């Protein structure tokens, strides 16, 4: 992200590093593609679950980066490390609850 933010300021006239961070939010891996490939090559379910869990953390950090980048551009404030850690913990917990709810619904909906 730092590379994209710095390069955007250099390549695009009028961009500064804060706008570069907003642009850099689009630089994340595609978890769906990784999961799809893992299933296609018949990876164990444990590996697929780990990939999906990693994608939750990746999405949470991406959302946090976007939120902080927009705060820097719109409000002109720079978030602290403590704010980042607290918000990241919240995003990961919320994503984990969503995943847990999905698994429970799938388990009860699956024929036994």
């Amino acid at each position: 992200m730092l590379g994209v933010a710095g390069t955007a300021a250099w390549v695009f006239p009028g961009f500064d590093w804060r706008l570069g961070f907003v642009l850099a939010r689009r630089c994340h891996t595609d978890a769906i593609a990784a999961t799809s490939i893992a299933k296609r090559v018949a990876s164990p379910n444990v590996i697929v679950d780990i990939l999906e869990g990693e994608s939750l953390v990746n999405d949470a950090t991406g959302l946090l980066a976007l939120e902080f980048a927009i705060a820097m551009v719109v409000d002109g404030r720079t978030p602290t490390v403590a704010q980042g850690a607290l918000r990241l913990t919240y995003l990961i917990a919320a994503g984990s609850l969503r995943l847990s709810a999905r698994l429970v619904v799938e388990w009860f909906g699956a024929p036994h």
Side-chain angles (χ1 to χ4, degrees), residues 1-110:
M1 286 185 59
L2 291 174
V4 172
T7 303
W10 179 68
V11 172
F12 302 113
F15 260 55
D16 63 358
W17 62 271
R18 297 173 302 170
L19 288 171
F21 271 116
V22 174
L23 178 66
R25 167 54 187 108
R26 297 303 310 151
C27 299
H28 59 86
T29 58
D30 186 7
I32 294 172
T35 302
S36 171
I37 291 169
K39 286 181 179 179
R40 194 175 320 139
V41 298
S43 294
N45 286 338
V46 173
I47 300 296
V48 175
D49 290 344
I50 290 171
L51 280 173
E52 289 175 350
E54 185 274 334
S55 72
L56 285 175
V57 174
N58 189 28
D59 289 347
T61 56
L63 289 171
L64 182 66
L66 179 63
E67 181 179 328
F68 282 4
I70 291 173
M72 288 188 288
V73 171
V74 174
D75 294 341
R77 62 183 169 89
T78 303
T80 64
V81 173
Q83 288 172 323
L86 184 63
R87 187 70 176 152
L88 182 61
T89 302
Y90 166 75
L91 289 170
I92 291 172
S96 297
L97 284 174
R98 182 177 155 257
L99 177 63
S100 298
R102 188 188 94 194
L103 293 174
V104 166
V105 168
E106 286 178 4
W107 188 77
F108 280 113

